[in-house]
Amino acid sequence: KIGDTWNSSDGVEEKMGEVSMRIEVKSVHTLEGFETVDGMECARISTQVSGTVTGAGSQQGMDLSLTGTTKGKNVWHFAVKDGIYVKSASDTTTQMSIEVPAAGRTIPSTSTGKPERKLVAKQPVRRLANVPGERRARGAPRFFSFGGTPPAAL
């Protein structure tokens, strides 16, 4: 029912050249209501995301390590009856420290993003089981996955 919340957690590994990074997030999802988007009745779900970033590797022959946090809010629309991920908007901030011991330096880094995604072709999606207990609609960005037990209205 509207106002119900559920929690999930997720992790993703990224490799950028010689640097590997792991992002672990915890999410609190809330069913805010239902609205029509492009002629489809959609569940509007907001998600508060917070997490950690860790990593290590080398660049230009120097070892480095990364630590930081990420937080943000996602709002996404899912056409429940059609089984279609319709659109989403995110607002995230990641703050990291990059330690380069050989240079005796720690470099602060802040990145922000406000990506928006929208359905371009109407095709039913199927749920993917990435992690036991986790479900994610095909085409949904990884941090829009939801686990646990979503509200009965979905």
Side-chain angles (χ1 to χ4, degrees), residues 59-117:
Q59 197 168 45
Q60 298 179 349
M62 290 190 283
D63 290 337
L64 57 89
S65 63
L66 311 165
T67 57
T69 59
T70 187
K71 65 181 179 177
K73 181 178 181 178
N74 308 319
V75 176
W76 56 283
H77 293 78
F78 185 79
V80 179
K81 290 178 185 172
D82 297 320
I84 297 174
Y85 168 80
V86 178
K87 74 175 188 173
S88 66
S90 303
D91 187 355
T92 60
T93 301
T94 301
Q95 295 182 318
M96 290 191 303
S97 291
I98 305 164
E99 187 176 341
V100 187
R105 300 191 69 169
T106 300
I107 304 164
S109 171
T110 300
S111 61
T112 59
K114 292 187 179 191
E116 294 186 15
R117 294 170 180 86

Side-chain angles (χ1 to χ4, degrees), residues 129-144:
N130 300 17
V131 176
E134 177 187 15
R135 293 176 293 163
R136 177 168 61 103
R138 180 175 294 286
R142 184 144 186 93
F143 293 133
F144 287 86

